[in-house]
């Protein structure tokens, strides 16, 4: 069966399906319930954010993160074995 005829058959079968009525699922208490009270969107969202304050807080967070990463990088660049331990290891290897 070619692909086009399969697609037509699938569309025809989809058109024959019974879609359930959504209003049949409502219970009587929901059907008779009052609409919720509408409030202005400005009241619901609250005061608008202060962009200067948010920018300052973000800058502080990023500066602290930068400082933490710089300190971590310094630790990673430090030698793993100090000089006294290196001398002792070399004596053990040579001796």
């Amino acid at each position: 069966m070619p692909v086009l005829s399969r697609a037509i058959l699938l569309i025809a079968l989809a058109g024959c399906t019974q879609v359930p009525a959504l209003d049949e699922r409502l219970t009587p208490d929901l059907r008779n319930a009052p609409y919720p009270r509408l409030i202005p969107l400005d009241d619901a969202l609250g005061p608008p954010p202060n962009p200067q304050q948010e920018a300052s807080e973000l800058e502080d967070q990023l500066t602290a993160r930068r400082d933490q990463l710089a300190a971590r990088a310094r630790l990673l660049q430090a030698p793993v074995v100090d000089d006294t331990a290196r001398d002792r290891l070399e004596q053990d290897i040579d001796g």
Side-chain angles (χ1 to χ4, degrees):
M1 183 180 278
V3 176
L4 181 60
S5 60
R6 288 182 189 172
I8 292 172
L9 179 63
L10 183 63
I11 292 171
L13 287 175
C16 295
T17 60
Q18 294 290 330
V19 178
L22 296 177
D23 58 348
E24 293 175 4
R25 295 180 180 218
L26 290 177
T27 59
D29 58 332
L30 286 177
R31 187 169 286 145
N32 297 328
Y35 283 101
R37 187 176 68 86
L38 300 178
I39 59 173
L41 189 57
D42 291 337
D43 295 343
L45 294 178
N50 183 352
Q52 287 83 15
Q53 180 182 359
E54 285 186 353
S56 176
E57 290 173 1
L58 180 60
E59 183 180 8
D60 293 343
Q61 291 172 1
L62 291 175
T63 302
R65 177 73 174 146
R66 181 199 62 200
D67 294 341
Q68 289 173 350
L69 289 173
R72 185 175 177 190
R74 281 191 301 276
L75 287 175
L76 290 173
Q77 291 175 352
V80 177
V81 179
D82 61 354
D83 291 336
T84 56
R86 183 180 306 279
D87 291 340
R88 192 184 57 176
L89 287 171
E90 288 177 0
Q91 287 175 0
D92 291 341
I93 293 173
D94 292 337

